[in-house]
Structure formats: C-alpha cells, structure tokens
Amino acid sequence: MKKFKDNYHLSEEEYQEYHQQLKIIKDLFDLNDYDQFKKEVQSLIYREDDFHPVIYKIIRKSIAPRYKSFIYHLKDKMN
C-alpha cells in the first residue's frame, strides 16, 4: 500500500480511503460461508465507481475469476 501511495502521489486522506477499500476485500476472506463470499464478490464486480481504478482492477482481474478457488474449502463444509 505504501508503494501505491508513493506511485500515485496520494494525500493522506486518499490513502486512507483506498486503504479502506482494500479492507473491504480483505474482510471477504474472513467470511466462513461459501454462498455469502460468492455473493459479496459478485456484488463488488458491479461497484466499479466505489473503488479506485487500480483496486477495481485487482477485483476484476485477480479475485473475481478465481474466487471459487479461494473459498473451495468452505463449499466442502456445506456438504
């Protein structure tokens, strides 16, 4: 995050805002319910305006296509 702040010359306020956006993503991984995680990831995809373009790119390119592999262990708990 520090490198992100330096690269984009963010103010402290902007930095805190984007840090909070990343926290939303990190908090997903604390969920213990497969369906809830899936629902939350899918909702993030439609919230492009709520995120800095770089953070949204992380969501679209890194998290959304692979969310099932991130939480597959939770699906096993459902059965």
Side-chain angles (χ1 to χ4, degrees):
M1 197 59 196
K2 174 79 169 110
K3 185 176 178 181
F4 180 74
K5 180 181 179 184
D6 293 342
N7 287 345
Y8 287 91
H9 307 287
L10 302 177
S11 69
E12 187 61 33
E13 183 178 295
E14 290 171 317
Y15 175 78
Q16 292 302 322
E17 179 183 341
Y18 301 141
H19 191 274
Q20 190 63 28
Q21 291 175 9
L22 283 177
K23 185 177 179 333
I24 292 168
I25 296 168
K26 289 177 184 178
D27 288 347
L28 288 175
F29 293 94
D30 289 335
L31 293 173
N32 289 317
D33 181 90
Y34 178 86
D35 292 327
Q36 183 66 29
F37 186 97
K38 180 179 175 181
K39 179 180 166 187
E40 293 295 328
V41 169
Q42 289 172 340
S43 77
L44 289 179
I45 294 168
Y46 299 105
R47 294 174 49 198
E48 181 175 0
D49 293 338
D50 294 345
F51 295 97
H52 183 278
V54 172
I55 295 173
Y56 186 73
K57 185 176 179 180
I58 293 169
I59 293 169
R60 291 287 298 177
K61 302 283 184 179
S62 299
I63 297 174
R66 294 184 283 229
Y67 75 89
K68 289 181 181 180
S69 65
F70 293 140
I71 58 165
Y72 193 74
H73 67 283
L74 295 175
K75 191 170 188 173
D76 288 342
K77 288 181 184 180
M78 293 174 57
N79 296 329

